[in-house]
């Protein structure tokens, strides 16, 4: 009688898992088909994935696909940046003017005196 009870539990568990899998698959199909307008399929997709995993079905993408990994890598690009040009060298030679010459220029009115803003 114990064996008969275990078989009934296994059968009932399998029936419930198949019902949940079918229900979630139907909702996902309706959602992606556009029948359900305002429906977020995230939770139902999680239920579907978990239920499928109980049957040993792996719905996750395997990481060993090298062709797609190569496509995702962007080619490496290098940029050469040139140094900015040097500032032009002044060709006007600065002449040193003596203090007396500066005072004479101020007295003659050729140069405006500097004001310090006092």
């Amino acid at each position: 009688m114990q064996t008969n009870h275990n078989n009934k539990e296994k059968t009932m568990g399998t029936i419930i898992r198949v019902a949940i899998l079918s229900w979630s698959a139907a909702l996902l199909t309706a959602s992606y088909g556009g029948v359900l307008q305002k429906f977020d399929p995230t939770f139902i997709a999680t239920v579907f994935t978990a239920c499928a995993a109980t049957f040993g079905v792996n719905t996750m993408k395997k990481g060993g696909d090298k062709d797609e990994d190569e496509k995702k890598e962007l080619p490496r690009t290098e940029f050469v940046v040139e140094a900015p040009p040097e500032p032009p060298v002044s060709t006007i030679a600065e002449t040193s003017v003596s203090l007396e010459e500066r005072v004479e220029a101020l007295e003659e009115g050729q140069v405006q005196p500097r004001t310090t803003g006092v």
Side-chain angles (χ1 to χ4, degrees):
M1 181 153 160
Q2 186 72 300
T3 309
N4 191 18
H5 184 65
N6 286 342
N7 285 340
K8 286 183 181 181
E9 284 183 12
K10 286 182 182 180
T11 305
M12 188 58 127
T14 304
I15 290 172
I16 290 173
R17 289 188 296 162
V18 168
I20 292 172
L21 187 66
S22 301
W23 169 76
S24 60
L27 283 178
L28 284 174
T29 302
S31 172
Y32 291 131
V35 176
L36 301 174
Q37 296 298 325
K38 295 181 180 180
F39 180 75
D40 183 21
T42 308
F43 174 72
I44 302 301
T46 305
V47 171
F48 178 79
T49 302
C51 191
T54 63
F55 288 107
V57 177
N58 186 6
T59 59
M60 301 301 289
K61 178 183 170 186
K62 297 195 180 207
D65 194 8
K66 293 182 181 178
D67 292 336
E68 289 186 19
D69 290 340
E70 291 175 5
K71 290 178 185 176
K72 289 181 183 177
E73 289 184 26
L74 296 175
R76 187 174 175 188
T77 56
E78 295 182 12
F79 297 99
V80 177
V81 179
E82 295 181 14
E86 294 291 325
V89 178
S90 176
T91 55
I92 301 173
E94 293 185 25
T95 57
S96 61
V97 180
S98 69
L99 185 58
E100 291 83 20
E101 292 175 347
R102 285 192 234 168
V103 171
E104 287 177 13
L106 281 173
E107 289 174 352
E108 293 175 0
Q110 295 175 355
V111 179
Q112 295 292 324
R114 291 186 188 169
T115 58
T116 58
V118 177

